[in-house]
Amino acid sequence: MPSHKALVRRPSPRLAEGLVTHIEREKVDVEQAVEQWEAYVQALRTHGWETIEVEPADDFPDSVFVEDTVVMYKNVALITRPGAETRREETGGVEEAVARLGCSVNWVWEPGTLEGGDVLKIDDTIYVGRGGRTNAAGVQQLRAVFEPLGARVVAVPVSKVLHLKSAVTALPDGTVLGHIPKVDRPSLFPRFLSVPEEAGAHVVQLGGDRLLMAASAPKTADLLADLGLEPVVVDISEFEKLEGCVTCLSVRLRDLYA
Ligand SMILES: NC(=O)NCCC[C@H](N)C(=O)O
């Protein structure tokens, strides 16, 4: 039976110092960010996810973006080696959390770099974005860990946004969603739906037809509702100022044995 646990990590008081790469820096209201994070966690819980808080990493401004520190496939965790040097030490608490949940643990080693935001799983296909934060050695290491377990790893170029999942995510039927101006090669995906907003490309599958989405993509929410899906909308404006999206604030663990 699939498990319904999700890792989350409380924002650091230094959140406002988080990295910004492709957008202009805007002032982040940390108090509001904490409220938004609590509402995000509550939305996961309301829709059947047991949330597990990874120990906070207050010295690391970007630590709330927990998705970047680990990639899960089946019961196996791959602890990443973030391309952003200032994020490298975020991984310790996450490693401890997944080990405690009974996952077997692997690591990305130097010279590899990989961030979880660059990894999009659709059934047994694992798309990995080769871009600013994930290098070729990171792609090879991901392949070496997961292909023997039955995955097929497909590398795709990412140059217009921070991570692959800043450009594309997937619907429950496997259709890939993306905002065309931000996607390097839409033709790499077998079934692609173009959405009208950049933030509309980011969905977290909550189960059934329910999709967690950001309030900043109302036209895409309407489009998806019109296709019979059920958007669950959260406001994550303070995280968006740091190039965060709904996907990066949690890691869903769907295939634990426990
Ligand atoms: N997976 C994600 O979308 N992560 C967002 C990370 C944002 C953070 N400010 C960073 O640049 O690393």
Side-chain angles (χ1 to χ4, degrees):
M1 206 175 106
S3 44
H4 279 83
K5 291 186 166 62
L7 302 180
V8 291
R9 196 174 216 177
R10 190 165 283 283
S12 156
R14 292 179 54 190
L15 176 71
E17 299 166 48
L19 295 171
V20 167
T21 310
H22 292 268
I23 59 176
E24 293 284 309
R25 184 172 288 282
E26 275 184 73
K27 196 172 173 344
V28 172
D29 180 334
V30 179
E31 215 170 288
Q32 195 185 344
V34 171
E35 282 169 22
Q36 291 179 347
W37 179 82
E38 283 168 352
Y40 174 95
V41 172
Q42 189 52 50
L44 288 176
R45 289 195 188 132
T46 302
H47 292 278
W49 293 84
E50 178 194 342
T51 53
I52 297 169
E53 266 199 55
V54 175
E55 193 176 336
D58 287 353
D59 290 341
F60 299 99
D62 283 307
S63 52
V64 68
F65 303 116
V66 66
E67 166 186 73
D68 293 322
T69 54
V70 63
V71 177
M72 294 296 307
Y73 178 68
K74 298 189 174 169
N75 202 42
V76 176
L78 176 61
I79 302 296
T80 67
R81 183 167 178 269
E85 281 189 33
T86 54
R87 301 198 56 191
R88 295 250 163 100
E89 287 174 50
E90 290 175 24
T91 56
V94 178
E95 182 178 324
E96 205 179 297
V98 291
R100 214 179 275 143
L101 287 165
C103 302
S104 43
V105 181
N106 286 268
W107 296 266
V108 175
W109 301 104
E110 197 179 354
T113 64
L114 177 78
E115 295 192 2
D118 275 321
V119 179
L120 172 65
K121 278 175 295 172
I122 303 181
D123 301 321
D124 289 318
T125 301
I126 304 184
Y127 293 99
V128 55
R130 160 67 183 105
R133 300 284 181 85
T134 294
N135 66 14
V139 172
Q140 280 169 350
Q141 292 181 35
L142 177 84
R143 195 172 268 138
V145 170
F146 292 138
E147 284 200 336
L149 304 176
R152 185 176 57 129
V153 172
V154 179
V156 300
V158 173
S159 65
K160 303 175 180 177
V161 281
L162 183 62
H163 288 126
L164 176 64
K165 273 189 290 193
S166 321
V168 291
T169 59
L171 296 178
D173 66 6
T175 300
V176 170
L177 286 186
H179 182 56
I180 292 277
K182 300 292 175 185
V183 185
D184 282 74
R185 308 269 171 85
S187 61
L188 283 174
F189 305 104
R191 214 165 45 237
F192 183 85
L193 176 65
S194 158
V195 297
E197 294 141 322
E198 182 174 348
H202 315 142
V203 300
V204 173
Q205 294 180 26
L206 292 171
D209 291 327
R210 290 161 302 156
L211 301 171
L212 191 62
M213 297 184 61
S216 53
K219 290 186 195 144
T220 308
D222 286 349
L223 169 71
L224 297 177
D226 191 51
L227 294 175
L229 294 150
E230 291 177 42
V232 172
V233 175
V234 285
D235 185 357
I236 54 159
S237 62
E238 299 315 291
F239 301 104
E240 289 174 326
K241 291 176 183 171
L242 297 166
E243 289 173 285
C245 25
V246 277
T247 57
C248 57
L249 295 171
S250 60
V251 179
R252 283 156 307 137
L253 308 169
R254 289 171 283 187
D255 295 300
L256 296 178
Y257 288 125

